[in-house]
């Protein structure tokens, strides 16, 4: 394994944690804008309908994947600019 890839692993862990927090905040704000509610429904909330629960889950999953991909790609690009190699 290349030294640059080894150096990227700890940074990747930190970026992953940061992207999770960013995605959670983005989901909360998006849900507030869409539904005018502070909290998204939980899957076990008996008072919520299936469509609400599934919409919230799909939106949350999509936002988490989008933010993770953007942060991972940005980190890999930054590493290439710093070291000249792409992490694998």
């Amino acid at each position: 394994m290349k030294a640059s890839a080894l150096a990227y692993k700890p940074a990747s862990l930190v970026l992953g944690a940061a992207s999770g927090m960013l995605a959670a905040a983005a989901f909360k704000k998006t849900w507030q804008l869409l539904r005018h509610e502070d909290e998204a429904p939980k899957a076990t909330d008996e008072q919520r309908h299936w469509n609400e629960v599934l919409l919230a889950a799909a939106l949350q999953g999509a936002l988490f994947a989008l933010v993770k991909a953007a942060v991972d790609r940005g980190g890999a690009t930054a590493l290439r600019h710093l070291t000249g190699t792409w992490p694998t």
Side-chain angles (χ1 to χ4, degrees):
M1 183 177 274
K2 295 179 185 175
S4 60
L6 286 174
Y8 181 70
K9 294 294 182 187
S12 176
L13 292 173
V14 171
L15 289 173
S19 69
M21 290 187 294
L22 180 62
F27 171 67
K28 183 174 178 132
K29 185 63 176 174
T30 302
W31 190 259
Q32 288 172 342
L33 291 171
L34 288 175
R35 303 292 293 199
H36 307 291
E37 300 172 348
D38 287 334
E39 297 293 324
K42 297 191 180 350
T44 57
D45 187 344
E46 188 177 17
Q47 304 303 317
R48 299 296 189 113
H49 295 281
W50 277 87
N51 60 346
E52 291 177 285
V53 171
L54 296 180
L55 173 65
L59 180 61
Q60 185 177 30
L63 284 172
F64 269 79
L66 176 75
V67 171
K68 182 180 180 335
V71 170
D72 287 349
R73 186 70 179 197
T77 302
L79 182 70
R80 183 178 60 196
H81 286 307
L82 290 172
T83 65
T85 61
W86 191 264
T88 55

